[in-house]
Each structure stands twice: as C-alpha cells, then as structure tokens.
Amino acid sequence: MCTVTFFPKGSHQYILTSNRDVAPARHAEELLSQTINGQKITFPKDPKAGGTWIAVGEKGRMVCLLNGGFIKHIVSPPYKKSRGLIVLESFEWDSFEAFAKEYDFENIEPFTLIGLNPQEGYFELKWTGEMRFLRKLNHHQPTIWSSSTLYNRPIRAMRQSWFDQWLKKAPDSPEAIIDFHLNGGEPDRINGFVMNRADIVCTTSITQVVYANSQAQIRHTDLITKKTTQLQAVTT
C-alpha cells in the first residue's frame, strides 16, 4: 500500500511490486479470489475492512492502491467507505479509465491508484478529497511511488534516489526486485522500504505481479507469518 515499483519488461510485459505499511493486525496471510462483473479477481484481503490494496483480474487489469494523494492530508472521518473496497469496485467498469472518470469519489479519503492493462493502457489516478487527477503512465519508464501519508516530500525524494541508484545495476528478474523491496535503500526503520514505527505501523507484506505472455502471476508474502502464496491470476 505504501511503496510500489513498476518495471516494464518489453511489449505488454511488466513487474509491479508493492510493500504494504499498515497496523500489524491488518496483515493479510494469503491470496484469495472473488468473482466481480463476471471475472475472477485475485487479491490479498484486508481482514479489517474487507478490501485490498492490490488486485488482478482474469481479463488482464491490475489495480494497486497507495494511501494519500500529492501531500499528506488531514484525516476527517467518517468516510463513505474504505479505499480498499474501491480497488475491487473498479472491476465493475469495463475499463480503468472509465472507472476513474465516472466513479463518485465524494467523501472518500485521498488515495493514489495505479491501473495497468496492456490492452487498456497504463494509468495513475490521484484523488485529493476534492479533485481527481488522471494521467497516462510512460509504459517504458521504471517508476517508484511512496505513500504521501507516511513519507513527506524530502523522504520521497530520498527513496527516489535509492531507486535511481539501484536501477544502474540493471535488475532484470522478479527475484532481484523482491530483494530490493526487502533490502534496498538504507537500513532505516522509520523510512526504509521495510519499516517499523514502534509496532504501530510496519511493513506487513510484499506482493508482486508479473505480467507476460497474456498471463499474470501474483505472489504474496506475509512478513508477519512468513507465509508465501502464489497464483496464476490471468489466463486470457
């Protein structure tokens, strides 16, 4: 939910990896599937709100959530619903772009959504609590996102520099990217990729989607229980 990297791997191929920073009690142990709008959606489920921060549909769409928009916002509950439920509801639309333009985000806490589908396009959607900002992503450019609710602008810039330096090593495998999400940057328990802030918020999992040859593999490792599950999420 809070650190995401995107690596293009040629035409219609990519690797997206997400570290989730959240209260330890909200860790998700394994992947599960649910049918939405006639297609199977695979995702790790948030045990508190019932939503998710990353999901893959069998028609090829991947949606990933980070909390916050451009800057850290003032939390003003009650909100209409959990942001994680919006990830799943986005699959009710025939395209991510249509969802981003048509969904009623009023009284939803600010967020950033990444929507990837080689057939539909690659998008970033930011909701500030008042306005939505949708842009197409450069599908040739490796990218890192850090949640604005946990990492201020200077820290996000520092994490970007860690990412840029690491890119010079030309990582080319899912395993190398997982290692970066586990060990990259500096050993900083407050702002590192695997963080722990007094056991109130910590990195609870790493989830990776590898999309190639019209198929996606989704791998989820719960860092609390050390359990890893992997499923083929896309078959069409």
Side-chain angles (χ1 to χ4, degrees):
M1 186 184 293
C2 297
T3 305
V4 176
T5 62
F6 164 71
F7 285 83
K9 296 287 289 182
S11 179
H12 293 176
Q13 300 182 58
Y14 67 81
I15 301 172
L16 182 134
T17 309
S18 170
N19 283 21
R20 188 189 194 206
D21 302 337
V22 72
R26 294 181 66 179
H27 74 101
E29 188 170 354
E30 60 187 358
L31 297 169
L32 54 82
S33 296
Q34 177 179 328
T35 299
I36 300 175
N37 194 24
Q39 65 172 311
K40 184 175 73 173
I41 312 300
T42 301
F43 59 97
K45 186 176 182 179
D46 180 349
K48 180 180 179 181
T52 188
W53 62 100
I54 185 168
V56 183
E58 63 182 347
K59 295 182 180 179
R61 187 188 310 166
M62 190 289 314
V63 179
C64 183
L65 167 75
L66 294 94
N67 287 342
F70 295 101
I71 60 174
K72 186 174 182 178
H73 59 276
I74 297 173
V75 179
S76 303
Y79 292 105
K80 184 166 57 178
K81 64 180 65 177
S82 166
R83 291 164 289 192
L85 293 173
I86 295 173
V87 174
L88 298 177
E89 291 178 3
S90 70
F91 289 91
E92 296 174 5
W93 271 256
D94 290 335
S95 73
F96 182 85
E97 185 175 14
F99 154 77
K101 292 178 178 179
E102 297 171 7
Y103 191 93
D104 179 11
F105 296 117
E106 187 69 28
N107 199 27
I108 299 293
E109 193 169 359
F111 62 80
T112 299
L113 277 184
I114 303 158
L116 307 180
N117 188 332
Q119 285 72 47
E120 299 174 10
Y122 294 14
F123 295 92
E124 175 199 83
L125 168 67
K126 286 186 180 288
W127 168 247
T128 67
E130 297 179 346
M131 298 181 65
R132 72 188 77 198
F133 296 85
L134 180 67
R135 70 180 181 99
K136 281 194 172 183
L137 296 174
N138 182 345
H139 60 277
H140 300 295
Q141 178 65 48
T143 307
I144 185 170
W145 291 264
S146 298
S147 172
S148 63
T149 59
L150 288 175
Y151 308 105
N152 61 27
R153 288 188 187 274
I155 297 301
R156 295 201 302 272
M158 180 178 70
R159 291 165 133 246
Q160 179 72 54
S161 70
W162 295 344
F163 184 66
D164 293 341
Q165 288 297 315
W166 181 69
L167 284 177
K168 295 178 182 178
K169 301 178 183 179
D172 61 357
S173 71
E175 292 77 18
I177 298 169
I178 290 286
D179 181 73
F180 177 65
H181 276 251
L182 278 169
N183 303 302
E186 299 175 5
D188 181 345
R189 299 299 286 172
I190 303 300
N191 296 308
F193 292 134
V194 175
M195 54 88 88
N196 188 328
R197 299 183 181 179
D199 291 329
I200 297 172
V201 175
C202 67
T203 306
T204 62
S205 63
I206 299 177
T207 309
Q208 184 176 77
V209 177
V210 179
Y211 187 96
N213 302 318
S214 299
Q215 295 190 353
Q217 294 287 338
I218 179 168
R219 172 184 173 182
H220 175 73
T221 298
D222 183 338
L223 299 179
I224 305 297
T225 64
K226 310 302 183 184
K227 180 178 180 178
T228 297
T229 55
Q230 182 166 309
L231 293 173
Q232 180 173 295
V234 179
T235 58
T236 60

Short mmCIF file of all heavy atoms in Angstrom, two decimals, residues 125-155:
data_model
loop_
_atom_site.label_atom_id
_atom_site.label_comp_id
_atom_site.label_asym_id
_atom_site.label_seq_id
_atom_site.Cartn_x
_atom_site.Cartn_y
_atom_site.Cartn_z
N LEU A 125 -4.15 7.40 -11.08
CA LEU A 125 -5.27 8.23 -10.65
C LEU A 125 -5.00 8.73 -9.24
O LEU A 125 -4.71 7.92 -8.34
CB LEU A 125 -6.58 7.43 -10.66
CG LEU A 125 -7.78 8.07 -9.97
CD1 LEU A 125 -8.24 9.33 -10.71
CD2 LEU A 125 -8.94 7.07 -9.83
N LYS A 126 -5.06 10.04 -9.03
CA LYS A 126 -4.94 10.62 -7.69
C LYS A 126 -6.25 11.32 -7.33
O LYS A 126 -6.79 12.10 -8.13
CB LYS A 126 -3.77 11.61 -7.60
CG LYS A 126 -2.41 10.92 -7.58
CD LYS A 126 -1.29 11.93 -7.35
CE LYS A 126 0.08 11.25 -7.32
NZ LYS A 126 0.28 10.46 -6.09
N TRP A 127 -6.73 11.05 -6.11
CA TRP A 127 -7.90 11.72 -5.58
C TRP A 127 -7.47 12.50 -4.35
O TRP A 127 -6.91 11.93 -3.40
CB TRP A 127 -8.98 10.71 -5.23
CG TRP A 127 -10.12 11.24 -4.41
CD1 TRP A 127 -10.43 10.91 -3.12
CD2 TRP A 127 -11.13 12.17 -4.84
NE1 TRP A 127 -11.54 11.60 -2.71
CE2 TRP A 127 -12.00 12.37 -3.75
CE3 TRP A 127 -11.36 12.85 -6.03
CZ2 TRP A 127 -13.09 13.24 -3.81
CZ3 TRP A 127 -12.45 13.72 -6.10
CH2 TRP A 127 -13.30 13.89 -5.00
N THR A 128 -7.68 13.81 -4.34
CA THR A 128 -7.22 14.67 -3.24
C THR A 128 -8.27 14.85 -2.15
O THR A 128 -7.99 15.49 -1.13
CB THR A 128 -6.85 16.06 -3.77
OG1 THR A 128 -8.05 16.73 -4.23
CG2 THR A 128 -5.85 15.97 -4.92
N GLY A 129 -9.45 14.31 -2.35
CA GLY A 129 -10.58 14.58 -1.47
C GLY A 129 -11.51 15.61 -2.07
O GLY A 129 -12.67 15.73 -1.65
N GLU A 130 -11.01 16.33 -3.08
CA GLU A 130 -11.82 17.33 -3.77
C GLU A 130 -11.76 17.20 -5.28
O GLU A 130 -12.73 17.48 -5.98
CB GLU A 130 -11.36 18.75 -3.38
CG GLU A 130 -11.55 19.06 -1.91
CD GLU A 130 -11.07 20.46 -1.56
OE1 GLU A 130 -10.36 21.06 -2.40
OE2 GLU A 130 -11.38 20.94 -0.45
N MET A 131 -10.59 16.77 -5.80
CA MET A 131 -10.40 16.68 -7.25
C MET A 131 -9.71 15.38 -7.60
O MET A 131 -8.93 14.83 -6.81
CB MET A 131 -9.58 17.87 -7.77
CG MET A 131 -10.23 19.22 -7.56
SD MET A 131 -9.21 20.57 -8.23
CE MET A 131 -9.27 20.18 -9.97
N ARG A 132 -10.00 14.90 -8.83
CA ARG A 132 -9.32 13.72 -9.36
C ARG A 132 -8.34 14.15 -10.45
O ARG A 132 -8.62 15.08 -11.21
CB ARG A 132 -10.33 12.70 -9.89
CG ARG A 132 -11.03 13.08 -11.16
CD ARG A 132 -12.16 12.09 -11.48
NE ARG A 132 -13.33 12.34 -10.65
CZ ARG A 132 -14.32 11.46 -10.46
NH1 ARG A 132 -14.26 10.28 -11.04
NH2 ARG A 132 -15.35 11.76 -9.71
N PHE A 133 -7.21 13.45 -10.49
CA PHE A 133 -6.18 13.73 -11.50
C PHE A 133 -5.79 12.40 -12.14
O PHE A 133 -5.24 11.53 -11.47
CB PHE A 133 -4.96 14.39 -10.86
CG PHE A 133 -5.23 15.74 -10.28
CD1 PHE A 133 -5.74 15.86 -8.99
CD2 PHE A 133 -5.00 16.88 -11.02
CE1 PHE A 133 -5.99 17.11 -8.44
CE2 PHE A 133 -5.26 18.15 -10.49
CZ PHE A 133 -5.76 18.25 -9.19
N LEU A 134 -6.09 12.26 -13.42
CA LEU A 134 -5.80 11.03 -14.15
C LEU A 134 -4.74 11.32 -15.20
O LEU A 134 -4.86 12.27 -15.97
CB LEU A 134 -7.07 10.50 -14.83
CG LEU A 134 -6.93 9.21 -15.63
CD1 LEU A 134 -6.61 8.02 -14.74
CD2 LEU A 134 -8.20 8.94 -16.44
N ARG A 135 -3.70 10.51 -15.23
CA ARG A 135 -2.67 10.66 -16.26
C ARG A 135 -2.23 9.30 -16.76
O ARG A 135 -2.28 8.31 -16.03
CB ARG A 135 -1.46 11.44 -15.72
CG ARG A 135 -0.61 10.69 -14.71
CD ARG A 135 0.55 11.54 -14.23
NE ARG A 135 1.40 10.84 -13.28
CZ ARG A 135 2.55 10.24 -13.59
NH1 ARG A 135 2.99 10.25 -14.85
NH2 ARG A 135 3.27 9.64 -12.67
N LYS A 136 -1.82 9.27 -18.02
CA LYS A 136 -1.26 8.06 -18.59
C LYS A 136 0.20 7.93 -18.16
O LYS A 136 0.94 8.91 -18.12
CB LYS A 136 -1.36 8.08 -20.12
CG LYS A 136 -2.73 7.74 -20.64
CD LYS A 136 -2.69 7.43 -22.13
CE LYS A 136 -4.03 6.88 -22.60
NZ LYS A 136 -3.99 6.49 -24.04
N LEU A 137 0.59 6.71 -17.83
CA LEU A 137 1.96 6.44 -17.44
C LEU A 137 2.81 6.12 -18.66
O LEU A 137 2.31 5.57 -19.65
CB LEU A 137 2.01 5.27 -16.46
CG LEU A 137 1.32 5.47 -15.11
CD1 LEU A 137 1.33 4.15 -14.33
CD2 LEU A 137 2.00 6.57 -14.31
N ASN A 138 4.08 6.46 -18.58
CA ASN A 138 5.05 6.05 -19.59
C ASN A 138 5.35 4.57 -19.37
O ASN A 138 6.01 4.21 -18.39
CB ASN A 138 6.31 6.88 -19.47
CG ASN A 138 7.35 6.52 -20.53
OD1 ASN A 138 7.27 5.49 -21.19
ND2 ASN A 138 8.35 7.38 -20.69
N HIS A 139 4.84 3.72 -20.24
CA HIS A 139 4.97 2.28 -20.01
C HIS A 139 6.36 1.75 -20.36
O HIS A 139 6.59 0.54 -20.32
CB HIS A 139 3.90 1.50 -20.78
CG HIS A 139 3.95 1.69 -22.27
ND1 HIS A 139 3.37 2.76 -22.89
CD2 HIS A 139 4.49 0.94 -23.24
CE1 HIS A 139 3.56 2.66 -24.19
NE2 HIS A 139 4.23 1.56 -24.44
N HIS A 140 7.28 2.66 -20.67
CA HIS A 140 8.68 2.26 -20.87
C HIS A 140 9.58 2.68 -19.71
O HIS A 140 10.76 2.35 -19.70
CB HIS A 140 9.24 2.89 -22.16
CG HIS A 140 8.49 2.48 -23.40
ND1 HIS A 140 8.47 1.17 -23.87
CD2 HIS A 140 7.74 3.21 -24.26
CE1 HIS A 140 7.74 1.12 -24.96
NE2 HIS A 140 7.29 2.34 -25.23
N GLN A 141 9.01 3.43 -18.73
CA GLN A 141 9.81 4.07 -17.69
C GLN A 141 9.62 3.37 -16.34
O GLN A 141 8.52 3.36 -15.80
CB GLN A 141 9.41 5.53 -17.56
CG GLN A 141 10.14 6.28 -16.46
CD GLN A 141 11.62 6.40 -16.73
OE1 GLN A 141 12.03 6.76 -17.84
NE2 GLN A 141 12.44 6.08 -15.74
N PRO A 142 10.68 2.79 -15.75
CA PRO A 142 10.58 2.28 -14.38
C PRO A 142 10.18 3.41 -13.43
O PRO A 142 10.66 4.54 -13.56
CB PRO A 142 11.98 1.76 -14.08
CG PRO A 142 12.59 1.48 -15.42
CD PRO A 142 12.01 2.53 -16.33
N THR A 143 9.32 3.10 -12.47
CA THR A 143 8.74 4.13 -11.60
C THR A 143 8.63 3.62 -10.18
O THR A 143 8.39 2.43 -9.96
CB THR A 143 7.34 4.53 -12.11
OG1 THR A 143 7.42 4.89 -13.49
CG2 THR A 143 6.78 5.70 -11.32
N ILE A 144 8.81 4.52 -9.22
CA ILE A 144 8.57 4.21 -7.81
C ILE A 144 7.56 5.20 -7.25
O ILE A 144 7.58 6.38 -7.59
CB ILE A 144 9.87 4.21 -6.98
CG1 ILE A 144 9.60 3.76 -5.54
CG2 ILE A 144 10.55 5.57 -7.01
CD1 ILE A 144 10.86 3.50 -4.73
N TRP A 145 6.65 4.69 -6.40
CA TRP A 145 5.72 5.53 -5.65
C TRP A 145 5.91 5.26 -4.16
O TRP A 145 6.13 4.11 -3.76
CB TRP A 145 4.27 5.19 -5.98
CG TRP A 145 3.78 5.53 -7.35
CD1 TRP A 145 3.09 6.65 -7.74
CD2 TRP A 145 3.88 4.72 -8.54
NE1 TRP A 145 2.78 6.59 -9.07
CE2 TRP A 145 3.24 5.41 -9.59
CE3 TRP A 145 4.43 3.46 -8.79
CZ2 TRP A 145 3.16 4.89 -10.87
CZ3 TRP A 145 4.35 2.95 -10.07
CH2 TRP A 145 3.72 3.66 -11.10
N SER A 146 5.82 6.29 -3.35
CA SER A 146 5.83 6.16 -1.89
C SER A 146 4.62 6.92 -1.35
O SER A 146 4.35 8.06 -1.77
CB SER A 146 7.11 6.73 -1.29
OG SER A 146 8.24 6.02 -1.74
N SER A 147 3.91 6.34 -0.42
CA SER A 147 2.69 6.94 0.10
C SER A 147 2.96 8.29 0.74
O SER A 147 3.84 8.43 1.59
CB SER A 147 2.05 6.00 1.13
OG SER A 147 0.97 6.63 1.79
N SER A 148 2.16 9.29 0.37
CA SER A 148 2.33 10.63 0.92
C SER A 148 1.87 10.73 2.37
O SER A 148 2.22 11.69 3.07
CB SER A 148 1.56 11.65 0.07
OG SER A 148 0.16 11.39 0.12
N THR A 149 1.11 9.76 2.86
CA THR A 149 0.65 9.80 4.24
C THR A 149 1.75 9.40 5.22
O THR A 149 1.70 9.77 6.39
CB THR A 149 -0.57 8.90 4.45
OG1 THR A 149 -0.22 7.55 4.10
CG2 THR A 149 -1.74 9.35 3.60
N LEU A 150 2.73 8.63 4.77
CA LEU A 150 3.81 8.18 5.64
C LEU A 150 5.16 8.81 5.33
O LEU A 150 6.04 8.87 6.19
CB LEU A 150 3.95 6.66 5.56
CG LEU A 150 2.86 5.82 6.22
CD1 LEU A 150 3.09 4.34 5.93
CD2 LEU A 150 2.82 6.06 7.72
N TYR A 151 5.32 9.29 4.08
CA TYR A 151 6.62 9.78 3.64
C TYR A 151 6.46 11.17 3.04
O TYR A 151 5.78 11.34 2.02
CB TYR A 151 7.22 8.81 2.62
CG TYR A 151 7.25 7.38 3.12
CD1 TYR A 151 6.33 6.44 2.65
CD2 TYR A 151 8.16 6.99 4.10
CE1 TYR A 151 6.34 5.13 3.13
CE2 TYR A 151 8.17 5.69 4.59
CZ TYR A 151 7.26 4.77 4.09
OH TYR A 151 7.26 3.47 4.58
N ASN A 152 7.09 12.17 3.67
CA ASN A 152 6.97 13.54 3.16
C ASN A 152 7.81 13.73 1.90
O ASN A 152 8.51 12.80 1.45
CB ASN A 152 7.35 14.56 4.25
CG ASN A 152 8.78 14.41 4.74
OD1 ASN A 152 9.65 13.94 4.01
ND2 ASN A 152 9.04 14.83 5.97
N ARG A 153 7.76 14.90 1.32
CA ARG A 153 8.44 15.13 0.04
C ARG A 153 9.94 14.85 0.10
O ARG A 153 10.49 14.18 -0.79
CB ARG A 153 8.18 16.55 -0.45
CG ARG A 153 6.75 16.79 -0.93
CD ARG A 153 6.63 18.17 -1.58
NE ARG A 153 5.25 18.50 -1.91
CZ ARG A 153 4.64 18.14 -3.04
NH1 ARG A 153 5.31 17.43 -3.93
NH2 ARG A 153 3.39 18.49 -3.27
N PRO A 154 10.68 15.35 1.12
CA PRO A 154 12.12 15.04 1.17
C PRO A 154 12.40 13.54 1.29
O PRO A 154 13.35 13.04 0.66
CB PRO A 154 12.60 15.80 2.42
CG PRO A 154 11.61 16.90 2.59
CD PRO A 154 10.31 16.34 2.16
N ILE A 155 11.60 12.83 2.05
CA ILE A 155 11.81 11.38 2.19
C ILE A 155 11.46 10.67 0.89
O ILE A 155 12.17 9.74 0.47
CB ILE A 155 10.98 10.82 3.36
CG1 ILE A 155 11.45 11.44 4.69
CG2 ILE A 155 11.09 9.31 3.42
CD1 ILE A 155 12.92 11.19 5.01
#
